[in-house]
């Protein structure tokens, strides 16, 4: 039965479903990080051509569920400033999207994750509507290339809020619309979604459960200690992905 979920082996499908629940709970509990961890893990076992569209649809479900569960805390003005940029970024991605050689995608994702963990982040001066629109356009475009741009979007959202719940709600809504554009972008590029549909639905369902559990832990975690451990884990996964990408590129 597990083999019917996707072209991958049954145990791999089960592992991805369980990981979807865990990473959705992670994002709900700490506001960021689940999507990045998920795409790093998926990149170890999935073909590059399916990685970003499948990840995007799973994250659409995960973020959509979190946005629905926290909609009372949503900053609608910030979302309205972000959305025009999402549209512009998606149109640019659909126009420029090219098929990358094997290995290049893995290297791009690894580099992006390392920058997100240890780089300077988004400039603090870009807080107005124009800066938010630019952030929406740039991160949506990059999302079609590297998949998980959550850390950059979070860097913009975080500057507007000191409390977790409005930050989690607004971030989830922005990411929902950003991932929604991937159905258009990769549909234009010719990706066949139906071969992966059962796995995507199973991962989305698991993600809803993870989100519900994660929101219950929202006020119980220490940010500083978790951040250090989480960055270390992502860095190790990114280094392994660099090795995998280099092998595919050399092969």
């Amino acid at each position: 039965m597990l083999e019917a979920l996707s072209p991958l082996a049954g145990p791999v499908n089960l592992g991805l479903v369980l990981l979807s629940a865990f990473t959705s709970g992670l994002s709900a509990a700490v506001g960021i990080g689940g999507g990045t961890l998920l795409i790093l893990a998926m990149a170890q076992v999935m073909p590059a051509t399916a990685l970003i569209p499948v990840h995007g649809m799973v994250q659409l479900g995960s973020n959509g569920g979190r946005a629905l569960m926290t909609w009372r805390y949503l900053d609608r003005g910030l979302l309205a400033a972000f959305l025009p940029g999402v549209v512009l970024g998606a149109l640019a991605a659909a126009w420029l999207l090219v098929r990358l050689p094997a290995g290049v995608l893995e290297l791009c994702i690894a580099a992006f994750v390392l920058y997100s963990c240890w780089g300077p982040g988004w400039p603090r001066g870009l807080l107005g509507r124009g800066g938010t629109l630019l952030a929406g356009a740039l991160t949506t475009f990059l999302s079609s290339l590297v998949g998980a741009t959550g850390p950059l979007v979070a860097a913009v959202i975080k500057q507007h809020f000191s409390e977790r719940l409005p930050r989690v709600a607004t971030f989830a809504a922005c990411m929902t619309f950003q991932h929604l554009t991937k159905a258009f972008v990769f549909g234009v590029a010719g990706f066949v979604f139906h071969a992966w549909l059962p796995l995507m639905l199973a991962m989305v369902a698991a993600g809803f459960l993870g989100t519900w559990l994660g929101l219950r832990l929202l006020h119980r975690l220490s940010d500083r200690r978790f951040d250090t451990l989480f960055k270390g884990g992502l860095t190790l996964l990114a280094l392994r992905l660099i090795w995998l990408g280099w092998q595919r590129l050399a092969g």
Side-chain angles (χ1 to χ4, degrees), residues 128-176:
R129 291 185 66 88
T132 302
L133 186 150
L134 177 61
L138 179 60
T139 57
T140 301
F141 175 75
L142 289 175
S143 187
S144 294
L145 177 63
V146 299
T149 53
L152 279 184
V153 177
V156 176
I157 301 300
K158 187 175 181 179
Q159 294 176 50
H160 291 266
F161 306 105
S162 58
E163 298 180 356
R164 277 189 177 183
L165 280 168
R167 186 173 67 193
V168 168
T170 306
F171 173 76
C174 289
M175 295 304 294
T176 296

Side-chain angles (χ1 to χ4, degrees), residues 4 33 40 43 67 81 86 112 145 195 205-206 212 250:
L40 277 173
V86 169
F112 188 84
L145 177 63
W212 183 84

